[in-house]
Amino acid sequence: MSKLKGKKYNIITFGCQMNEHDSETIAGMLQERGCSEVEDRRDSDITIINTCSIRENADKRFFGTLGQLKKIKEKNPDYVACVCGCMMQQQHIIDTIKAKYPWVDIIFGTHNIHRFPQLLENVYQEKQKVLEVLEDREEIVEGLPAKRLFKHKSFVNIMYGCNNFCTYCIVPYTRGREKSRNPEDIIAEIKRLVADEVREVTLLGQNVNSYKGVDTDGRQWDFSDLIYAINDIEGLERIRFMTSHPKDLSDKLIQAFVDCEKLCKYIHLPVQAGSSNVLKRMNRKYDREKYLELVRKLRAAVPGITMSTDIIVGFPGETEEDFEDTLSLVKEVGYDSAFTFLYSVRKGTPAAEYEDQIPEEIKHERFNRLVDLINEGSAAKNAAYVGRVERVLVEGLSKKNDETLTGRTDGFKLVDFEGPKELIGQMVDVEITEGKTFSLTGKLAE
Ligand code: SAH
Ligand code: SF4
Ligand code: F3S
């Protein structure tokens, strides 16, 4: 008999969509065994913290949260505290947990999520802690359930890991080498999702452009082949993907934007820096010119395509001139939005050893200048939507109140508008009445 039946769980998720989706899988496996989710972790029997190691402050937040679990454990001796995710792929973190946070019962890594329910059973049955993380194995485990965050849209992993080793980044160390799922498994999963009322899928990978799947006939599929096949799935309305590395963005993929009506006309194309000098030291394998050339090609082939990006400020050795190259690139591209990051040293990565680290106050000063420029650009882009009618997939109620609905345009812009709840999950036309910095407001079109 499973000891998990009737247990209440709570998951805390840090990090990117990969982690969010892993949390959906963890939730799905627990639900399947008769557990139910609770909002307040103080009411839970099981807490899972799914961690991210992308930046230093992610570590700090994690240890802060971990400290709070001790109180729950003191009140409830059967309480099980679990930690997983990218930080658990770093040995010094595991050592710290063992030494300073003895109330943790289970540690598991990014390669072995499927084993989690069994580890939990062991803890309940044998009162045994599990504090080791297993190595990456070559195979991909298929067929795990997931409890979706949204009813009508879903993440779908198409590949795991990363081979790029950008010099600032920890992900290749925490997620292992690139592995692509078999295309037939991906397509079958999306068909099942569509049968369960999903209208939009976001294909996930650290670098989806380098997807290389092999089907059961032994044929190799690249990322565009996969998009064309998914575009044929009946009942699916929209396809998005995340993230796309500029070095591998092919002409074939640009053509897929033209040919595939379900592929949203939006791309997140992280540039990281506007100076070729810095890009080289980041090991990004493209320069400023090549990036701008890609943007021109995309804009020419897909008029009106919206774009977002990631930018790191204060990478070691970044001069004022390098930084101004970033500002000028941002102006030239005209992004709809951007995620901006202060460079943060990650132990074990090459850039952590670079000697020309930038002082914090300079990083912050540049960061503020960049954010102002980006917000100005976003506001101007969004203001230009006023009066346009946009097709919106209604995702749910807005956080503001129960009469406001929220959804996204094809170009990934968030829109709030008044309407009945019954529209959730449908595609509707919304006339845009106001453009703000981070979202649009509208009304249902006649
Ligand atoms: N695979 C994706 C990015 C994943 S990480 C890609 O290559 O585009 C998300 C973002 O975090 C990165 O794009 C980068 O901008 C930021 N980032 C990663 N490591 C960082 C570090 N050490 N300091 C600051 N930002 C970092
Ligand atoms: Fe990190 Fe670069 Fe891989 Fe993206 S492509 S996950 S930034 S190493
Ligand atoms: Fe963080 Fe891991 Fe994603 S380090 S950004 S959760 S892949």
Side-chain angles (χ1 to χ4, degrees), residues 270-445:
V271 67
Q272 311 299 359
S275 145
S276 295
N277 199 8
V278 173
L279 287 169
K280 191 160 191 311
R281 303 221 313 156
M282 288 178 163
N283 191 31
R284 289 291 288 181
K285 303 194 176 80
Y286 54 85
D287 60 12
R288 176 188 177 94
E289 264 325 299
K290 173 149 187 248
Y291 185 91
L292 288 171
E293 176 60 27
L294 269 179
V295 170
R296 281 192 287 273
K297 270 200 213 165
L298 277 161
R299 288 246 156 90
V302 197
I305 189 169
T306 51
M307 286 189 191
S308 59
T309 199
D310 291 347
I311 299 173
I312 297 176
V313 174
F315 184 77
E318 182 188 73
T319 63
E320 173 62 25
E321 209 182 353
D322 290 326
F323 175 66
E324 281 167 18
D325 283 346
T326 296
L327 295 179
S328 75
L329 180 132
V330 166
K331 277 189 207 143
E332 190 165 340
V333 174
Y335 291 108
D336 290 272
S337 62
F339 296 100
T340 42
F341 304 95
L342 286 164
Y343 169 73
S344 161
V345 170
R346 301 287 62 208
K347 213 168 153 183
T349 62
E353 308 297 321
Y354 292 178
E355 278 172 6
D356 40 8
Q357 302 288 334
I358 305 294
E360 286 305 312
E361 61 286 5
I362 297 186
K363 277 193 213 169
H364 279 97
E365 184 261 337
R366 289 180 187 163
F367 183 85
N368 293 339
R369 280 156 73 196
L370 177 64
V371 170
D372 286 346
L373 180 69
I374 284 165
N375 288 350
E376 222 175 86
S378 302
K381 288 260 168 189
N382 288 348
Y385 276 71
V386 174
R388 277 169 64 166
V389 173
E390 287 283 315
R391 197 111 182 107
V392 170
L393 171 62
V394 189
E395 291 177 5
L397 295 174
S398 127
K399 289 195 186 97
K400 284 185 228 150
N401 61 52
D402 276 4
E403 276 96 60
T404 311
L405 298 174
T406 184
R408 290 203 187 250
T409 67
D410 186 278
F412 206 55
K413 292 193 184 275
L414 199 63
V415 192
D416 286 332
F417 57 100
E418 310 272 294
K421 283 205 289 282
E422 291 66 37
L423 292 179
I424 294 171
Q426 295 187 31
M427 304 283 286
V428 297
D429 287 328
V430 177
E431 185 185 328
I432 308 304
T433 53
E434 191 190 351
K436 295 183 278 196
T437 307
F438 302 110
S439 68
L440 305 171
T441 310
K443 59 173 196 233
L444 280 169

Side-chain angles (χ1 to χ4, degrees), residues 49 51 58-66 83 87-88 97:
I49 311 182
T51 61
D59 296 12
K60 291 198 188 113
R61 281 172 66 199
F62 164 66
F63 285 116
T65 314
L66 201 51
V83 290
M87 284 176 75
M88 301 311 126
I97 295 174

Side-chain angles (χ1 to χ4, degrees), residues 37 48 73 107 116 139 154 273 279 293 299 307 326 431:
E37 190 165 13
I48 302 114
K73 187 98 179 179
I107 298 178
F116 174 55
E139 79 261 35
S154 182
L279 287 169
E293 176 60 27
R299 288 246 156 90
M307 286 189 191
T326 296
E431 185 185 328

Side-chain angles (χ1 to χ4, degrees), residues 250-264:
S250 65
D251 289 345
K252 204 171 150 193
L253 180 62
I254 298 179
Q255 188 58 39
F257 274 110
V258 180
D259 296 338
C260 301
E261 73 288 354
K262 293 176 187 171
L263 183 59
C264 291

Side-chain angles (χ1 to χ4, degrees), residues 14-19 51-54 86 170-171 174-175 206:
F14 296 102
C16 66
Q17 280 90 351
M18 313 279 155
N19 258 19
T51 61
C52 166
S53 17
I54 204 83
C86 289
I170 196 83
V171 172
T174 63
R175 292 268 166 176
Q206 291 299 349

Side-chain angles (χ1 to χ4, degrees), residues 108-268:
F108 60 105
T110 56
H111 305 298
N112 295 288
I113 289 177
H114 62 284
R115 295 195 56 241
F116 174 55
Q118 190 53 52
L119 300 181
L120 256 182
E121 294 276 3
N122 294 354
V123 168
Y124 280 119
Q125 277 169 11
E126 293 152 35
K127 298 273 169 226
Q128 221 179 40
K129 290 183 176 232
V130 190
L131 300 179
E132 289 305 329
V133 171
L134 292 173
E135 283 300 299
D136 189 5
R137 292 177 310 169
E138 279 311 301
E139 79 261 35
I140 292 173
V141 179
E142 288 291 344
L144 298 179
K147 180 172 183 272
R148 290 196 302 276
L149 230 45
F150 293 92
K151 184 153 177 35
H152 303 287
K153 61 176 192 177
S154 182
F155 299 123
V156 175
N157 272 119
I158 64 165
M159 59 193 298
Y160 301 91
C162 180
N163 289 352
N164 291 314
F165 293 94
C166 302
T167 53
Y168 50 82
C169 185
I170 196 83
V171 172
Y173 309 91
T174 63
R175 292 268 166 176
R177 292 297 69 72
E178 276 180 10
K179 283 190 278 262
S180 295
R181 282 177 74 191
N182 162 322
E184 289 132 326
D185 286 335
I186 297 170
I187 291 165
E189 178 178 340
I190 297 177
K191 285 185 176 161
R192 278 196 304 275
L193 290 168
V194 170
D196 194 28
E197 298 179 49
V198 165
R199 296 289 159 259
E200 175 181 309
V201 290
T202 302
L203 310 176
L204 288 184
Q206 291 299 349
N207 176 14
V208 290
N209 294 338
S210 70
Y211 173 82
K212 279 183 208 70
V214 181
D215 65 19
T216 35
D217 296 332
R219 192 172 74 92
Q220 268 234 0
W221 294 44
D222 64 18
F223 183 51
S224 339
D225 297 332
L226 188 64
I227 300 255
Y228 279 93
I230 295 172
N231 193 57
D232 286 339
I233 296 177
E234 221 171 291
L236 182 67
E237 299 269 359
R238 284 176 166 177
I239 308 166
R240 301 187 189 279
F241 57 81
M242 210 54 188
T243 296
S244 191
H245 195 303
K247 83 177 162 66
D248 300 311
L249 199 158
S250 65
D251 289 345
K252 204 171 150 193
L253 180 62
I254 298 179
Q255 188 58 39
F257 274 110
V258 180
D259 296 338
C260 301
E261 73 288 354
K262 293 176 187 171
L263 183 59
C264 291
K265 308 297 176 263
Y266 160 71
I267 190 164
H268 181 66

